[in-house]
């Protein structure tokens, strides 16, 4: 009995972690490709504990990400696209402006007037990134999982391919959602800051357990006026997944690929796992 319990305790983490890493096979593929769900809220060092991850990575000839990461170019293009023609004072109430201003001064030593001509989505991104780095200092040092796989690939002279262009992300982040709605989401981010660490810790625990459905369901359950609406979630995940799965089908048909995208793109009816299965591939958790 005791021996069985010890074996079960040993195998449990393997089964849970495997839910982050999926093998894509079948449909005439000569060699398997792999799909991995990333989370930049979790340190890169966690990857060492995912069974089979680096074996699967080394079996592939192409590394695929959401976009090809070039930090200097990305920052420059994002910053240029973030400017708008009106001041954020025109879309925030006085109380909202003061609240956001106080938060930026406290976390970033930055008055809101200094970035008043930037789109609210960019201000929100800057604020949340700063807040996350303060709460979890290790995040700032390791650069995130998505860029990690691409950095390693470049050192090994392995091709790196993006499922979309940076312009696609700029369009989604700054133009698909209107300025007023972006402003509401900025205010919501500031209001949620007090519980941010607890929320990130909860999500991190689910991620480490491989509970991708739990992460997805928690996001869907958030129905506050500042959270993503169903339509916004579809634009962020469902719509992009539908385009990405076509690109993935092309890429895995050419060479075995290691595909690393945010974990939110994997689960659900519109997730990549389900969409790949609907295209006739066999998608199974790596154990």
């Amino acid at each position: 009995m005791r021996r069985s319990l010890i074996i079960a305790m040993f195998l449990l983490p393997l089964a849970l972690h495997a839910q982050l890493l999926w093998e894509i096979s079948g449909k005439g593929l000569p060699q398997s490709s792999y799909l991995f769900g990333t989370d930049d809220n979790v340190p890169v060092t966690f990857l060492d504990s995912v069974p089979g991850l680096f074996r699967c990575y080394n079996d592939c000839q192409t590394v695929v990400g959401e976009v090809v990461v070039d930090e200097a170019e990305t920052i420059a293009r994002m910053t240029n696209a973030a400017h708008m023609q009106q001041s954020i004072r025109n879309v925030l109430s006085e109380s909202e402006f003061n609240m956001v201003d106080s938060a930026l001064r406290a976390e970033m030593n930055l008055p809101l007037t200094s970035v008043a001509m930037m789109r609210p989505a960019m201000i929100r991104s800057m604020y949340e990134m700063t807040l996350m780095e303060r709460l979890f200092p290790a995040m700032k040092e390791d650069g995130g999982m998505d860029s990690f796989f691409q950095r390693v690939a470049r050192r090994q002279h392995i091709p790196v391919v993006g499922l979309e262009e940076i312009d696609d992300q700029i369009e989604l982040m700054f133009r698909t959602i209107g300025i007023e709605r972006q402003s509401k989401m900025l205010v919501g981010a500031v209001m949620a800051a007090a519980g941010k660490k607890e929320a990130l810790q909860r999500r991190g625990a689910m991620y480490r357990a491989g509970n991708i459905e739990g992460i997805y369901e928690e996001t869907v359950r958030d129905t506050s006026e500042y959270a993503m609406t169903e339509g916004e979630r579809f634009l962020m995940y469902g719509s992009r997944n539908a385009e990405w799965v076509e690109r993935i089908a092309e890429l895995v048909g050419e060479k075995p690929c290691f595909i690393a995208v945010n974990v939110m793109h994997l689960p659900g009816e519109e997730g990549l796992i389900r969409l790949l299965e609907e295209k006739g591939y066999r998608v199974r958790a790596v154990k």
Side-chain angles (χ1 to χ4, degrees), residues 260-277:
V261 297
N262 186 277
V263 68
M264 277 291 291
H265 289 282
L266 271 60
E269 294 295 318
E270 299 165 344
L272 288 174
I273 294 172
R274 177 62 59 85
L275 294 178
L276 285 166
E277 289 175 336

Side-chain angles (χ1 to χ4, degrees), residues 114-154:
S114 297
V115 290
M117 301 303 291
M118 276 192 172
R119 295 175 187 267
M122 184 64 169
I123 300 172
R124 176 190 172 199
S125 178
M126 293 164 54
Y127 173 72
E128 290 190 323
M129 181 66 69
T130 303
L131 184 64
M132 188 173 70
E133 289 175 352
R134 180 178 65 78
L135 295 173
F136 304 101
M139 306 297 182
K140 188 174 183 179
E141 299 173 5
D142 62 33
M145 292 184 184
D146 293 331
S147 59
F148 168 79
F149 288 115
Q150 295 191 24
R151 289 197 307 270
V152 173
R154 290 191 182 98

